[in-house]
Amino acid sequence: MQGVQALLFDTFGTVVDWRNGIARDAAPFLAKHGIAADPHAFADAWRKRYRPAMKEVIEGRRPFTRLDVLHRENLEGVLRDLGADPARIPEAELDHLNRAWHRLDPWPDSIPGLTRLKARFIIAPLSNGNIALLLNMAKRAGLPWDAILGAEVARAYKRDPRAYLNTADILGLPPAACMLVAAHNDDLEAARGVGFATGFVLRATEHGPGQTTNLAPEQDWDVVAADLQDMAEKLGCPA
Protein backbone atom coordinates (compact mmCIF):
# COMPACT_ATOMS: atom_id res chain seq x y z
CA MET A 1 0.00 0.00 0.00
CA GLN A 2 2.92 2.40 0.49
CA GLY A 3 3.31 2.71 -3.28
CA VAL A 4 -0.35 3.51 -3.97
CA GLN A 5 -0.86 7.05 -5.28
CA ALA A 6 -4.36 6.92 -6.75
CA LEU A 7 -7.64 5.56 -5.41
CA LEU A 8 -10.05 4.77 -8.23
CA PHE A 9 -13.67 4.18 -7.30
CA ASP A 10 -16.46 2.07 -8.59
CA THR A 11 -19.34 4.53 -8.38
CA PHE A 12 -22.79 2.93 -8.74
CA GLY A 13 -23.41 1.22 -5.41
CA THR A 14 -20.01 2.04 -3.91
CA VAL A 15 -20.18 5.85 -3.83
CA VAL A 16 -23.82 6.54 -4.71
CA ASP A 17 -27.13 4.83 -3.90
CA TRP A 18 -28.49 4.01 -7.35
CA ARG A 19 -31.51 1.94 -6.27
CA ASN A 20 -33.24 4.54 -4.11
CA GLY A 21 -32.31 7.34 -6.50
CA ILE A 22 -33.82 5.60 -9.53
CA ALA A 23 -36.93 4.61 -7.57
CA ARG A 24 -37.40 8.21 -6.40
CA ASP A 25 -37.39 9.56 -9.96
CA ALA A 26 -39.35 6.64 -11.40
CA ALA A 27 -42.27 6.90 -8.96
CA PRO A 28 -43.94 10.02 -10.44
CA PHE A 29 -43.20 8.85 -14.01
CA LEU A 30 -44.86 5.48 -13.42
CA ALA A 31 -47.85 7.08 -11.74
CA LYS A 32 -48.33 9.66 -14.50
CA HIS A 33 -48.33 7.04 -17.23
CA GLY A 34 -50.43 4.48 -15.36
CA ILE A 35 -47.66 1.87 -15.32
CA ALA A 36 -48.34 -0.65 -12.57
CA ALA A 37 -44.89 -1.24 -11.12
CA ASP A 38 -43.27 -0.75 -7.75
CA PRO A 39 -40.59 1.96 -8.18
CA HIS A 40 -37.89 -0.13 -6.50
CA ALA A 41 -38.78 -3.18 -8.59
CA PHE A 42 -38.60 -0.92 -11.64
CA ALA A 43 -35.11 0.23 -10.59
CA ASP A 44 -34.04 -3.40 -10.14
CA ALA A 45 -35.40 -4.37 -13.56
CA TRP A 46 -33.60 -1.47 -15.23
CA ARG A 47 -30.34 -2.31 -13.48
CA LYS A 48 -30.69 -6.00 -14.39
CA ARG A 49 -30.20 -5.09 -18.04
CA TYR A 50 -26.97 -3.19 -17.27
CA ARG A 51 -24.45 -6.01 -17.42
CA PRO A 52 -25.88 -7.80 -20.51
CA ALA A 53 -25.87 -4.50 -22.45
CA MET A 54 -22.21 -3.87 -21.66
CA LYS A 55 -21.31 -7.49 -22.42
CA GLU A 56 -22.11 -6.82 -26.08
CA VAL A 57 -19.41 -4.14 -26.09
CA ILE A 58 -16.90 -6.06 -23.96
CA GLU A 59 -17.11 -9.13 -26.21
CA GLY A 60 -16.73 -7.10 -29.39
CA ARG A 61 -20.21 -7.57 -30.85
CA ARG A 62 -20.82 -3.83 -30.62
CA PRO A 63 -18.48 -0.83 -30.79
CA PHE A 64 -17.98 1.18 -27.62
CA THR A 65 -21.26 2.91 -26.77
CA ARG A 66 -21.59 5.32 -23.87
CA LEU A 67 -23.67 4.27 -20.90
CA ASP A 68 -26.31 6.97 -21.37
CA VAL A 69 -27.22 5.31 -24.68
CA LEU A 70 -27.27 1.83 -23.16
CA HIS A 71 -29.38 3.07 -20.24
CA ARG A 72 -31.91 4.60 -22.66
CA GLU A 73 -32.18 1.37 -24.66
CA ASN A 74 -32.58 -0.58 -21.43
CA LEU A 75 -35.23 1.85 -20.17
CA GLU A 76 -37.30 1.34 -23.28
CA GLY A 77 -36.94 -2.43 -22.88
CA VAL A 78 -38.18 -2.33 -19.29
CA LEU A 79 -41.14 -0.18 -20.28
CA ARG A 80 -42.09 -2.64 -23.01
CA ASP A 81 -41.84 -5.51 -20.52
CA LEU A 82 -44.36 -3.63 -18.38
CA GLY A 83 -46.76 -3.19 -21.29
CA ALA A 84 -45.95 0.47 -22.00
CA ASP A 85 -45.04 1.76 -25.45
CA PRO A 86 -42.07 4.16 -25.23
CA ALA A 87 -43.10 5.70 -28.55
CA ARG A 88 -46.26 7.02 -26.89
CA ILE A 89 -44.33 8.80 -24.11
CA PRO A 90 -42.95 12.29 -24.78
CA GLU A 91 -39.24 12.27 -25.61
CA ALA A 92 -38.49 14.91 -22.96
CA GLU A 93 -39.99 12.71 -20.24
CA LEU A 94 -38.01 9.65 -21.33
CA ASP A 95 -34.82 11.69 -21.46
CA HIS A 96 -35.46 13.17 -18.01
CA LEU A 97 -36.02 9.74 -16.48
CA ASN A 98 -32.95 8.34 -18.26
CA ARG A 99 -30.92 11.11 -16.65
CA ALA A 100 -31.99 9.93 -13.21
CA TRP A 101 -28.62 8.15 -13.26
CA HIS A 102 -27.01 11.62 -13.32
CA ARG A 103 -28.91 12.63 -10.15
CA LEU A 104 -28.04 9.85 -7.71
CA ASP A 105 -27.35 10.70 -4.07
CA PRO A 106 -24.12 9.70 -2.31
CA TRP A 107 -24.14 7.39 0.67
CA PRO A 108 -23.93 9.47 3.89
CA ASP A 109 -20.24 8.65 4.41
CA SER A 110 -19.16 9.21 0.80
CA ILE A 111 -18.41 12.94 0.74
CA PRO A 112 -16.65 13.14 4.12
CA GLY A 113 -14.77 9.93 3.36
CA LEU A 114 -13.69 11.05 -0.11
CA THR A 115 -12.64 14.43 1.26
CA ARG A 116 -10.35 12.75 3.75
CA LEU A 117 -8.94 10.34 1.16
CA LYS A 118 -8.31 13.20 -1.28
CA ALA A 119 -5.92 14.79 1.24
CA ARG A 120 -3.48 11.91 0.71
CA PHE A 121 -4.34 10.33 -2.65
CA ILE A 122 -5.48 11.19 -6.15
CA ILE A 123 -9.16 10.24 -6.20
CA ALA A 124 -11.27 9.62 -9.31
CA PRO A 125 -14.14 7.41 -10.43
CA LEU A 126 -13.30 4.29 -12.40
CA SER A 127 -16.91 3.82 -13.37
CA ASN A 128 -18.83 2.43 -16.30
CA GLY A 129 -20.66 5.75 -16.34
CA ASN A 130 -19.89 8.16 -19.18
CA ILE A 131 -18.19 11.51 -18.63
CA ALA A 132 -21.32 13.69 -18.73
CA LEU A 133 -23.14 11.37 -16.33
CA LEU A 134 -20.29 11.34 -13.81
CA LEU A 135 -19.67 15.06 -14.12
CA ASN A 136 -23.33 15.94 -13.58
CA MET A 137 -23.52 13.54 -10.66
CA ALA A 138 -20.43 15.05 -9.06
CA LYS A 139 -21.60 18.64 -9.50
CA ARG A 140 -25.04 17.89 -8.02
CA ALA A 141 -23.82 15.75 -5.13
CA GLY A 142 -20.58 17.60 -4.35
CA LEU A 143 -18.30 14.62 -5.00
CA PRO A 144 -14.73 16.00 -4.72
CA TRP A 145 -13.06 14.10 -7.56
CA ASP A 146 -9.63 15.17 -8.83
CA ALA A 147 -10.57 13.93 -12.32
CA ILE A 148 -13.46 12.24 -14.13
CA LEU A 149 -12.22 8.89 -15.44
CA GLY A 150 -13.80 5.57 -16.29
CA ALA A 151 -15.13 3.59 -19.22
CA GLU A 152 -15.69 6.39 -21.72
CA VAL A 153 -12.17 7.73 -21.15
CA ALA A 154 -10.62 4.25 -21.21
CA ARG A 155 -12.90 3.15 -24.10
CA ALA A 156 -13.60 -0.11 -22.30
CA TYR A 157 -16.13 -1.36 -19.77
CA LYS A 158 -15.24 -3.20 -16.60
CA ARG A 159 -14.42 -6.08 -16.20
CA ASP A 160 -12.40 -5.79 -19.41
CA PRO A 161 -8.75 -5.48 -18.26
CA ARG A 162 -8.34 -2.44 -20.53
CA ALA A 163 -10.76 -0.46 -18.36
CA TYR A 164 -8.29 -0.62 -15.47
CA LEU A 165 -5.01 -0.54 -17.40
CA ASN A 166 -5.99 2.37 -19.65
CA THR A 167 -7.13 4.37 -16.62
CA ALA A 168 -3.79 3.85 -14.89
CA ASP A 169 -1.99 4.82 -18.09
CA ILE A 170 -4.03 8.03 -18.41
CA LEU A 171 -2.81 8.97 -14.92
CA GLY A 172 0.76 8.14 -15.90
CA LEU A 173 0.92 5.48 -13.19
CA PRO A 174 1.78 1.79 -13.16
CA PRO A 175 -1.08 -0.49 -12.08
CA ALA A 176 0.59 -1.13 -8.72
CA ALA A 177 0.29 2.59 -7.90
CA CYS A 178 -3.50 2.40 -8.23
CA MET A 179 -6.09 0.92 -5.90
CA LEU A 180 -9.63 0.12 -6.95
CA VAL A 181 -12.18 0.79 -4.22
CA ALA A 182 -15.43 -1.09 -4.74
CA ALA A 183 -18.34 -2.77 -3.02
CA HIS A 184 -18.25 -5.61 -5.57
CA ASN A 185 -15.95 -8.59 -5.24
CA ASP A 186 -15.90 -9.35 -8.98
CA ASP A 187 -14.77 -5.81 -9.81
CA LEU A 188 -11.96 -6.10 -7.28
CA GLU A 189 -10.97 -9.51 -8.64
CA ALA A 190 -10.62 -8.07 -12.14
CA ALA A 191 -8.60 -5.11 -10.85
CA ARG A 192 -6.29 -7.38 -8.86
CA GLY A 193 -5.79 -9.47 -12.00
CA VAL A 194 -4.07 -6.53 -13.74
CA GLY A 195 -1.95 -5.54 -10.74
CA PHE A 196 -4.11 -3.01 -8.88
CA ALA A 197 -4.28 -2.87 -5.10
CA THR A 198 -7.81 -3.51 -3.83
CA GLY A 199 -10.14 -1.98 -1.26
CA PHE A 200 -13.50 -3.50 -0.36
CA VAL A 201 -16.27 -1.29 1.05
CA LEU A 202 -19.38 -2.92 2.46
CA ARG A 203 -22.68 -1.67 1.01
CA ALA A 204 -25.10 -4.17 2.50
CA THR A 205 -28.25 -2.44 1.20
CA GLU A 206 -27.18 -1.52 -2.34
CA HIS A 207 -29.80 -3.94 -3.67
CA GLY A 208 -32.29 -3.30 -0.89
CA PRO A 209 -32.97 -4.92 2.48
CA GLY A 210 -32.94 -8.43 1.02
CA GLN A 211 -29.47 -8.22 -0.53
CA THR A 212 -27.67 -11.56 -0.74
CA THR A 213 -24.46 -10.64 -2.61
CA ASN A 214 -21.27 -8.78 -1.65
CA LEU A 215 -22.09 -8.93 2.06
CA ALA A 216 -18.48 -9.82 2.88
CA PRO A 217 -15.05 -9.80 1.24
CA GLU A 218 -14.51 -12.95 -0.80
CA GLN A 219 -10.72 -12.64 -1.04
CA ASP A 220 -7.97 -11.15 1.10
CA TRP A 221 -8.34 -7.65 -0.34
CA ASP A 222 -5.65 -5.17 0.69
CA VAL A 223 -8.11 -3.07 2.70
CA VAL A 224 -11.58 -3.99 3.97
CA ALA A 225 -13.72 -1.17 5.32
CA ALA A 226 -17.21 -0.65 6.69
CA ASP A 227 -17.57 2.59 4.70
CA LEU A 228 -15.44 5.34 3.16
CA GLN A 229 -14.81 7.04 6.50
CA ASP A 230 -13.46 3.73 7.78
CA MET A 231 -11.40 3.41 4.58
CA ALA A 232 -9.87 6.85 5.26
CA GLU A 233 -9.10 5.83 8.81
CA LYS A 234 -7.41 2.60 7.73
CA LEU A 235 -5.34 4.45 5.14
CA GLY A 236 -4.14 7.00 7.69
CA CYS A 237 -5.90 10.01 6.23
CA PRO A 238 -6.41 13.05 8.45
CA ALA A 239 -9.85 13.63 9.96
Side-chain angles (χ1 to χ4, degrees):
M1 287 298 302
Q2 290 184 355
V4 170
Q5 299 177 51
L7 305 184
L8 302 169
F9 292 79
D10 171 72
T11 304
F12 300 121
T14 301
V15 177
V16 297
D17 177 4
W18 63 265
R19 188 173 188 265
N20 285 317
I22 296 301
R24 175 193 62 214
D25 278 24
F29 176 93
L30 297 171
K32 178 178 181 179
H33 294 284
I35 300 170
D38 172 78
H40 284 92
F42 181 86
D44 293 336
W46 196 355
R47 179 71 173 185
K48 189 175 181 179
R49 290 171 171 261
Y50 173 79
R51 183 59 53 187
M54 290 186 297
K55 187 176 181 181
E56 292 298 300
V57 175
I58 293 169
E59 296 185 355
R61 292 186 292 275
R62 183 176 186 176
F64 185 84
T65 306
R66 65 172 57 100
L67 191 60
D68 272 343
V69 175
L70 300 182
H71 272 159
R72 175 59 184 268
E73 294 172 357
N74 294 343
L75 170 60
E76 294 186 11
V78 172
L79 290 172
R80 292 189 192 98
D81 287 347
L82 294 170
D85 181 1
R88 298 175 68 89
I89 298 172
E91 169 63 25
E93 294 185 34
L94 290 171
D95 183 64
H96 181 75
L97 181 56
N98 196 52
R99 289 175 178 271
W101 296 94
H102 296 223
R103 299 187 294 271
L104 301 178
D105 294 331
W107 297 108
D109 57 275
S110 290
I111 293 174
L114 288 173
T115 300
R116 291 179 64 187
L117 291 163
K118 181 184 173 81
R120 183 176 172 192
F121 301 96
I122 297 165
I123 64 166
L126 202 175
S127 170
N128 287 324
N130 49 285
I131 296 169
L133 185 161
L134 294 168
L135 180 60
N136 292 338
M137 179 194 293
K139 292 287 283 186
R140 176 184 175 275
L143 300 173
W145 302 126
D146 289 312
I148 301 291
L149 302 176
E152 189 175 12
V153 183
R155 308 303 289 176
Y157 282 120
K158 301 181 298 181
R159 317 302 185 239
D160 184 329
R162 292 174 297 177
Y164 310 94
L165 292 172
N166 290 354
T167 300
D169 182 63
I170 287 162
L171 289 173
L173 296 173
C178 300
M179 182 169 87
L180 182 74
V181 180
H184 311 120
N185 284 282
D186 57 354
D187 200 355
L188 293 172
E189 182 176 21
R192 173 174 277 179
V194 299
F196 274 40
T198 52
F200 177 82
V201 178
L202 176 63
R203 297 299 188 194
T205 60
E206 175 190 353
H207 295 279
Q211 182 167 317
T212 59
T213 58
N214 292 304
L215 295 174
E218 295 174 5
Q219 295 187 34
D220 59 336
W221 308 123
D222 297 297
V223 182
V224 174
D227 58 28
L228 292 183
Q229 286 273 45
D230 187 36
M231 177 73 67
E233 197 71 27
K234 290 182 173 176
L235 292 178
C237 298

